[in-house]
């Protein structure tokens, strides 16, 4: 870059480059494909991909909390379950038009409030790093264990029987008198996913997002720049809890069913593996990886179920060892370097004077 | 204490501060005041408690006893982020930059709590130019030389327009040229009215910038005075150089 380049002009150039990044392009292509997909696919596949879209929100919540804020949470699955159950309980108890839509909000906020409460005690109590992982995993397993013993008829909230491992039947989402299913439900999920995605992309580029990036790198230092780090951690935990709960709401209403296995150990670890394989630091990578891996997971489950876990384990291991940024994100970054070039080029800056050759004097 | 209209000359006052880590008394009943506009150097042998004092001032550690007053108010119970917003800035001993972020993003992280978003671009440019890094904005910080990282961190500490700047070994790992640049920067900041406290081992640097020097030893103030007085004090030379 010419030294004389005007700063303002340079920034504007960077902004254009950033708009034309492979990450943005990949997401636009993904959305375009999703928009036309229901027009080409059969009804079963449309329903199936609608399920992928719902689960993708769980991965998005994890990319936010883990990739952006640096907090590895196994609790997203718990908030997912809370969202699903609370939506179900609300929708079973109220049957006026629009009740299911209010139920979505109830489920989402329930997940967010539980997350914020847990987050408050963790972060203000000085719990961080690996201990957040342990605490959130404990929450998930406690919830699973609790829900597992709710089979008896005494476990009911109004009309809603919790039913333990038999599972709770959950009403589908209705707009007015119309039950959403097939293509309508597919597009409903797609709109919510794109909406959440756009909000997060906007947030991560905002002041708050820069603050998150900073506290991910170094909490103590970030606080000395005037950031209320603990409060920000609670905020991002709340937001990620809401998104995970939305995922749970969509999952439960899509299948008309939720049971405690949705909060089990496997359920808690799977999204972490998906996001690690795809690239936790990019919401786009998390979305695309989850869609692909869910599809792969289903194919393996039907053709070679005994190998499914082995394959995912191997992929996760490969990612951790050789592609720590994740396969999809690394691919996007390589595309940026080779196709879009600028903006993200990193080269060594020559020191402005010879590097210190002699040790400093102490006298 | 309602006399805000006429600011007192004392900006920072540590009163009988103690800090105990297990059985170790890192700071032992230390009393220290720094006036507005001062450029004070803290020197002393390793383990004298210098860096601990900075941590106590910023709130990274809580004192076992004593009070810390900043700008007339007791700040013992303030969280670190509030101290930062009220005008305390620090450059840490180990570079406290974000190695994985670009230089400009580092500056933005430091600046955005203090500078309106509208003028962010101009201000980050001005601050980077001040520390000679205006052409390295897009670089990952980990690719900078050690000295450049130190300057970036000083620039970041400046973005808050702090009342008081704490510099913990600003010339560590720098060559003579870079040290001279740093000395010039520190002096010009002080000339503009920023109160500065520097911890430094490099006596050439201390001689170059400081008017007042405080010598710490075993967690207490051992001697205080001008650089000439300190250098003339044989007992200081003894403890500082480890002579007996």
């Amino acid at each position: 870059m010419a030294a004389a380049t005007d700063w303002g002009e340079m920034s504007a150039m960077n902004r254009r480059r950033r708009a034309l990044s492979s990450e943005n392009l990949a997401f636009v292509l993904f959305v375009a494909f999703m928009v036309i997909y229901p027009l080409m696919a059969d009804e079963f596949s449309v329903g199936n991909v609608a399920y992928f879209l719902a689960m993708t929100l769980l991965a998005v919540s994890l990319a936010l909390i883990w990739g952006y804020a640096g907090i590895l949470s196994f609790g997203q699955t718990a908030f997912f379950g809370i969202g699903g159950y609370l939506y179900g309980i609300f929708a079973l108890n109220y049957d006026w038009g629009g009740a299911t839509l209010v139920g979505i909000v109830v489920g989402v906020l329930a997940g967010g409030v539980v997350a914020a409460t847990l987050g408050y005690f963790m972060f203000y109590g000085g719990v961080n790093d690996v201990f957040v992982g342990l605490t959130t995993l404990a929450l998930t397993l406690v919830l699973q264990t609790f829900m597992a013993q709710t089979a008896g008829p005494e476990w009911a909230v109004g009309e809603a029987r919790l039913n333990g491992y038999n599972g709770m039947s959950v009403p589908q989402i209705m707009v007015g008198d119309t039950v959403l299913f097939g293509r309508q439900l597919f597009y409903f999920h797609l709109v919510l996913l794109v909406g959440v995605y756009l909000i997060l992309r906007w947030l991560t580029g905002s002041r708050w997002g820069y603050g998150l990036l900073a506290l991910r790198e170094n909490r103590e230092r970030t606080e000395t720049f005037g950031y209320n780090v603990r409060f920000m951690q609670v905020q991002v935990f709340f937001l990620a809890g809401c998104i995970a709960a939305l995922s749970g709401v969509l999952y439960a209403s899509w299948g008309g069913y939720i049971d405690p296995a949705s909060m089990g150990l496997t359920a808690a670890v799977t999204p972490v593996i998906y996001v690690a394989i795809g690239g936790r630091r990019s919401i786009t990578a998390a979305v695309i990886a989850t869609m692909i891996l869910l599809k792969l997971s289903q194919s393996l489950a039907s053709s070679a179920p005994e190998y499914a876990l082995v394959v995912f384990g191997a992929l996760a291991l490969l990612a951790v060892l050789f592609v720590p940024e994740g396969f999809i994100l690394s691919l996007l970054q390589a595309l940026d370097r080779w196709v879009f070039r600028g903006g993200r080029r990193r080269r060594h800056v020559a020191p402005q004077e010879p590097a210190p050759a002699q040790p400093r004097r102490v006298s | 204490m309602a006399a805000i209209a006429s600011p007192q000359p004392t900006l920072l006052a540590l009163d009988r501060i103690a800090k105990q880590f297990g059985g170790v008394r890192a700071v032992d009943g230390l009393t220290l005041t720094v006036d507005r506009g001062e450029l004070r150097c803290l020197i002393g042998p390793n383990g004298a408690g210098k860096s601990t004092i900075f941590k106590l001032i910023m709130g990274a550690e809580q004192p076992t006893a004593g009070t810390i007053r900043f700008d007339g108010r007791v700040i013992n119970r303030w969280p670190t982020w509030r101290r930062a917003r009220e005008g305390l800035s620090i450059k840490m001993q180990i570079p406290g930059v974000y190695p994985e972020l670009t230089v400009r993003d580092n500056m933005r992280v430091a600046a955005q709590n203090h500078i309106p978003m509208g003028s962010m671009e101009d201000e980050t440019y001005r601050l980077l130019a001040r520390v000679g890094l205006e052409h390295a904005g897009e670089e990952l910080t980990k690719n900078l030389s050690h000295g450049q990282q130190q300057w970036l961190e000083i620039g970041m500490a400046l973005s808050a327009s702090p009342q008081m700047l704490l510099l913990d070994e600003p010339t560590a790992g720098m060559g003579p040229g870079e040290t001279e640049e740093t000395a010039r920067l520190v002096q010009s900041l002080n000339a503009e009215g920023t109160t500065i406290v520097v911890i430094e081992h490099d006596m050439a640097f201390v001689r170059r910038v400081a008017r007042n020097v405080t010598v710490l030893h075993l967690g207490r103030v051992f001697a205080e005075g001008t650089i000439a007085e300190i250098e003339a004090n044989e007992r200081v030379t003894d403890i500082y150089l480890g002579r007996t």
Side-chain angles (χ1 to χ4, degrees), chain A residues 43-60:
Chain A
E43 201 170 320
F44 173 80
S45 302
V46 169
N48 193 34
V49 176
Y51 156 73
F52 292 175
L53 290 172
M55 296 307 287
T56 298
L57 279 166
L58 184 59
V60 167

Side-chain angles (χ1 to χ4, degrees), chain A residues 350-361:
Chain A
Q352 297 191 327
E353 59 180 288
Q358 69 253 65
R360 69 205 162 89
R361 274 177 298 164

Side-chain angles (χ1 to χ4, degrees), chain A residues 2-261:
Chain A
T5 309
D6 172 62
W7 179 264
E9 192 187 317
M10 202 167 88
S11 299
M13 270 159 55
N14 279 330
R15 232 176 283 129
R16 274 202 299 280
R17 279 177 183 150
R18 277 181 193 147
L20 191 67
S21 70
S22 52
E23 183 173 5
N24 291 349
L25 189 65
F27 193 75
V28 169
L29 288 176
F30 165 75
V31 173
F33 178 68
M34 282 299 133
V35 167
I36 54 170
Y37 181 78
L39 309 176
M40 338 181 279
D42 59 273
E43 201 170 320
F44 173 80
S45 302
V46 169
N48 193 34
V49 176
Y51 156 73
F52 292 175
L53 290 172
M55 296 307 287
T56 298
L57 279 166
L58 184 59
V60 167
S61 87
L62 198 61
L64 171 69
I65 196 76
W66 185 26
Y68 274 89
I71 302 165
L72 174 52
S73 161
F74 291 99
Q76 300 319 106
T77 315
F79 311 135
F80 175 94
I82 289 167
Y85 270 104
L86 264 288
Y87 164 81
I89 289 167
F90 189 89
L92 284 169
N93 280 293
Y94 301 96
D95 57 1
W96 32 271
T100 55
L101 295 178
V102 178
I104 296 176
V105 178
V106 169
V108 167
L109 287 181
V113 167
V114 172
T117 310
L118 178 71
Y120 171 80
F121 285 109
M122 283 194 306
F123 300 123
Y124 279 84
V127 174
N128 273 300
D129 304 320
V130 68
F131 299 103
V132 171
L134 293 175
T135 311
T136 49
L137 184 60
L139 172 75
T140 301
L141 298 182
V142 164
L143 269 179
Q144 184 203 14
T145 311
F146 175 79
M147 293 314 295
Q149 51 86 53
T150 58
E154 72 275 23
W155 291 101
V157 182
E159 302 289 311
R161 281 277 305 274
L162 299 181
N163 274 342
Y165 259 109
N166 298 320
M168 184 169 80
S169 62
V170 176
Q172 288 170 293
I173 293 168
M174 289 173 70
V175 177
D177 293 332
T178 320
V179 175
L180 292 186
F181 71 101
R183 285 179 191 168
Q184 289 168 326
L185 188 63
F186 180 98
Y187 285 123
F188 185 71
H189 286 190
L190 183 62
V191 165
L192 285 176
L193 175 62
V194 172
V196 167
Y197 176 90
L198 291 177
I199 290 170
L200 289 186
R201 284 299 298 269
W202 170 71
L203 271 176
T204 49
S206 72
R207 278 168 105 101
W208 188 72
Y210 270 78
L212 285 187
L213 217 57
L215 72 86
R216 175 186 79 194
E217 300 291 320
N218 188 339
R219 284 189 303 276
E220 289 78 13
R221 187 53 174 140
T222 303
E223 191 165 350
T224 65
F225 289 124
Y227 292 88
N228 191 345
V229 166
R230 292 166 182 202
F231 186 54
M232 288 176 68
Q233 286 179 305
V234 173
Q235 287 173 322
V236 70
F237 212 62
F238 168 79
L239 182 59
C242 286
I243 296 168
L246 177 62
S247 177
V249 169
L250 297 185
Y251 166 79
S253 59
W254 170 86
Y257 173 85
I258 188 164
D259 74 18

